[in-house]
Amino acid sequence: MNIDLQSVLQDFLDRNPDLPEGDDNDVSAENADTRPAAVSADRLDIILEKKGRGGKKATIITGFTGSDSELAELASALKHKLATGGSARGGEILIQGDRRNDVLAALNSLGYKGRII
């Protein structure tokens, strides 16, 4: 069954003209200037991982959409700020130990949004 979703959506909108337009998700030029240059607009997820590490815990930061060099730069800043070891590869940052709250505070101070999962 081949359904053209665009035409179905347009038919729905034509039958319901009183629906609100919704919010515009574009970042205006004024708001873009207040955000630090290297900061991603995405929210980073902070996860505690225990498996496959010989019983040791690790804090994993996922959801970064920048380049690998920006990821490595953020990992380096976090490791320096938290005075701990870690690594950055595969689009994730690993921080040794259960440092979820510390990582969230450090990310916020660097201008990133985060949430602990």
Side-chain angles (χ1 to χ4, degrees), residues 32-80:
D33 292 338
T34 61
R35 186 181 316 143
V39 174
S40 169
D42 299 331
R43 181 177 56 210
L44 303 176
D45 294 330
I46 304 165
I47 304 165
L48 180 66
E49 190 172 276
K50 302 175 194 175
K51 296 179 182 179
R53 304 190 185 281
K56 296 182 181 179
K57 298 176 183 176
T59 303
I60 309 293
I61 303 154
T62 63
F64 189 80
T65 58
S67 68
D68 288 341
S69 62
E70 292 172 336
L71 180 71
E73 186 178 313
L74 176 59
S76 178
L78 286 172
K79 291 188 300 181
H80 180 73

